[in-house]
């Protein structure tokens, strides 16, 4: 039976991840020392999704996976159209429907967040089909990820987030690996020994390895992401409340919508010489939009339920 713990520490990790993704896309701290942590933020997002996915599965008998698949697909199509139109307005680019549909479903060059949604949607379907056969079979995906990434670094040299089928497959391999890792950690959570010192040592060693070699080695990235996730999972953190609130209710919106404000406000921030607070401005603008978005969503749900009650009576 699942316990009743709220996992506030994971919501804090989500909030930190969301902010650091904005920092990364704002090109503010692109230096050598922050790179190993920045490149693990999205894998942590995937692992958190996989972790809660398992907990919802054992309660709802896989119905939640179907809901997540549909929700991710709707978000993907909606944001794909939104960012395509945004590109037309702010970057004076064309809007060929066929090309944009291809971009939306293969990772996309029109917006950096779409590769995440595209890979998430497809990864959820793979996880769903696999768990229908055997939950333990999910262990195959992290192993395949490591082997495939090693082969890619040595021989294949497939780029990330490019408009190619091979690149889209690489993104999907990454997504499925980290989704399944979070899923497996949730499944075997009670059997995992709480050892913050071991997780911290693994994080430090992998981080140091990347700094010394200057390469984003696949195994090192996997160790950093998994160790960071397990550290936060081990800690029973209940403060600060703002980070918990941010991670629980706004982290996804921050990730999905921040690129719009980068396109909208980027040149203005640079012209007014506000580079040092670039990420903070983008974060604040996106957070305000997220608050408004959530309020509209709640109002819509309230009006819908009120209408259904009225129709039933």
């Amino acid at each position: 039976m699942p316990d009743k713990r709220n996992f506030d520490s994971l919501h804090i990790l989500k909030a930190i991840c969301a902010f650091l993704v904005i920092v990364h896309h704002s090109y503010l701290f692109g230096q050598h020392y922050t790179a190993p942590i920045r490149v693990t933020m999205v894998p942590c997002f995937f692992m958190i999704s996989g972790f809660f996915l398992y907990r919802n599965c054992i309660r709802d008998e896989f119905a939640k996976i179907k809901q997540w698949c549909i929700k991710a697909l709707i978000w993907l199509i909606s944001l794909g159209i939104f960012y395509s139109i945004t590109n037309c307005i702010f970057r004076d680019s064309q809007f060929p429907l066929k090309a944009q549909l291809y971009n939306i479903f293969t990772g996309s060059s029109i917006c950096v967040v779409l590769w995440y949604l595209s890979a998430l949607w497809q990864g959820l379907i793979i996880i769903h089909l696999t768990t229908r056969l055997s939950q333990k079979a999910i262990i195959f995906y992290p192993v395949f990820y490591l082997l495939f990434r090693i082969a890619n670094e040595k021989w294949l040299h497939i780029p990330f987030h490019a408009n190619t089928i091979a690149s889209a497959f690489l993104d999907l391999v990454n997504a499925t690996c980290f989704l399944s890792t979070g899923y497996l950690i949730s499944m075997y959570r009670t059997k995992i020994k709480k050892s913050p010192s071991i997780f911290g040592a693994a994080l430090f060693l992998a981080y140091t390895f990347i700094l010394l070699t200057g390469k984003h080695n696949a195994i090192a990235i996997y160790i950093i992401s998994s160790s960071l996730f397990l550290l936060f999972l081990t800690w029973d953190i209940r403060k600060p409340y703002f980070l918990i609130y941010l991670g629980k209710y706004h982290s996804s919106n921050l990730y999905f919508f921040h690129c719009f404000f980068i396109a909208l406000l980027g040149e203005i921030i640079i012209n007014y010489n506000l580079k040092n607070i670039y990420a903070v401005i983008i974060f604040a603008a996106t957070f305000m939009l997220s608050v408004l978005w959530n309020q509209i969503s709640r109002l819509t749900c309230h009006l819908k339920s009120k209408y259904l009650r009225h129709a039933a009576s």
Side-chain angles (χ1 to χ4, degrees), residues 106 122 144 148 158 164-175:
T106 57
Q122 296 170 69
F144 178 76
F148 184 78
I158 301 171
T164 64
I165 296 297
S167 180
F169 178 72
L170 179 59
D171 291 336
L172 178 58
V173 168
N174 287 339

Side-chain angles (χ1 to χ4, degrees), residues 243-257:
L243 283 182
I244 295 170
Y245 165 76
L246 194 68
K248 196 170 185 178
Y249 298 107
H250 298 283
S251 57
S252 296
N253 290 345
L254 287 170
Y255 186 86
F256 294 150
F257 291 131

Side-chain angles (χ1 to χ4, degrees), residues 18-29 242 246 254 258 261-262 265 269 274-289:
F19 179 72
L20 288 180
V21 166
I22 293 174
V23 169
H24 175 52
H25 290 157
S26 301
Y27 306 104
L28 181 59
F29 301 121
F242 176 72
L246 194 68
L254 287 170
H258 74 276
F261 286 103
I262 288 176
L265 303 175
I269 293 171
L274 298 173
K275 286 184 181 180
N276 292 333
I277 56 171
Y278 191 138
V280 176
I281 295 172
I282 298 299
F283 170 81
T286 313
F287 175 67
M288 287 188 286
L289 177 62

Side-chain angles (χ1 to χ4, degrees), residues 88-105:
C88 291
I89 296 171
F90 295 108
R91 298 181 183 177
D92 195 28
S93 61
Q94 300 300 314
F95 186 65
L97 183 60
K98 185 178 179 180
Q100 297 301 354
L101 286 174
Y102 172 81
N103 283 338
I104 288 170
F105 287 101

